[in-house]
Amino acid sequence: MICLLQPLYKKTEKQINFAKAASSSCFPAKHSLKPSEIISNHILNGVMTIVMGVVTMVRMTRTMPKGLTNATLYSSIYSDSDSNSPRETISNEDYIIMMKRMNELEEKVIILSTRSTTMPPEKEEMLNNSLQRIDMLKQELSTTIKTLEDALVREEELVAFIEEEEEEDYNML
């Protein structure tokens, strides 16, 4: 086996000095650049970052569809059936009609999304009045139910009393 490490006494002084220099610090001094070069490097890095960001955004948005109608131009049709089976084709007239309907729907969605979500005060007042009326009707219904239950109990008592009277009359005869 050949030893790759030479003993220290066989190394030359030049090799020892190089090893000491390499082990002490292998990085250049902290302020090896002039202050004006440091500032210009930071400015250059910032400008390049901004330029690359703008270029990337322009290239990304150039290929994006403008709306839902243009999205159909970029879409493709995939079918789960056999590739040999004939595909249904859409005529140009049907496609134009469909695109017009999609535009109308988009406009309606935009109109609905811009509407305010607050209720007009007149309708809110009507709703509150209706809710109060519903509460009153619930109370009236509960009192009516209670009255009917009391009447049913009295009726059962009267039926029981009448049956007792009839049994007494029958037993007396």
Side-chain angles (χ1 to χ4, degrees):
M1 182 171 178
I2 301 174
C3 183
L4 297 176
L5 298 174
Q6 296 178 350
L8 189 57
Y9 64 89
K10 290 186 178 179
K11 289 186 178 178
T12 62
E13 190 172 323
K14 187 176 180 182
Q15 289 174 335
I16 293 172
N17 288 338
F18 179 73
K20 285 181 184 177
S23 66
S24 66
S25 174
C26 60
F27 296 109
K30 186 175 183 181
H31 300 289
S32 63
L33 297 175
K34 296 177 188 175
S36 62
E37 291 176 350
I38 292 173
I39 292 172
S40 67
N41 283 344
H42 286 300
I43 292 173
L44 180 65
N45 286 341
V47 169
M48 286 301 293
T49 303
I50 291 172
V51 168
M52 290 302 293
V54 169
V55 168
T56 302
M57 290 303 293
V58 167
R59 290 185 73 193
M60 292 287 287
T61 57
R62 194 179 290 167
T63 59
M64 291 176 65
K66 299 287 186 267
L68 184 61
T69 56
N70 290 339
T72 57
L73 299 175
Y74 294 102
S75 64
S76 59
I77 300 173
Y78 295 103
S79 63
D80 294 335
S81 62
D82 296 283
S83 60
N84 295 337
S85 65
R87 293 188 181 182
E88 293 182 27
T89 57
I90 300 173
S91 66
N92 285 338
E93 295 83 24
D94 290 339
Y95 183 74
I96 291 171
I97 291 171
M98 180 201 54
M99 294 307 289
K100 286 180 182 178
R101 286 182 182 171
M102 291 299 287
N103 283 332
E104 290 173 3
L105 285 174
E106 281 182 349
E107 291 171 2
K108 288 178 182 178
V109 166
I110 290 171
I111 290 170
L112 289 175
S113 65
T114 57
R115 282 188 182 173
S116 65
T117 57
T118 59
M119 187 182 301
E122 301 86 24
K123 288 187 178 182
E124 189 172 351
E125 185 177 338
M126 284 177 47
L127 180 65
N128 288 335
N129 291 339
S130 298
L131 289 174
Q132 289 174 356
R133 180 71 179 143
I134 288 171
D135 288 338
M136 288 189 330
L137 289 173
K138 282 182 183 178
Q139 289 175 355
E140 289 177 11
L141 183 63
S142 66
T143 56
T144 305
I145 288 174
K146 186 174 181 183
T147 305
L148 286 174
E149 287 174 351
D150 291 343
L152 184 63
V153 168
R154 287 194 50 133
E155 182 183 348
E156 288 175 358
E157 289 175 356
L158 286 173
V159 167
F161 178 74
I162 292 173
E163 286 178 357
E164 284 179 16
E165 290 292 322
E166 287 179 354
E167 282 182 21
E168 286 179 9
D169 289 342
Y170 183 72
N171 288 337
M172 289 184 133
L173 289 175

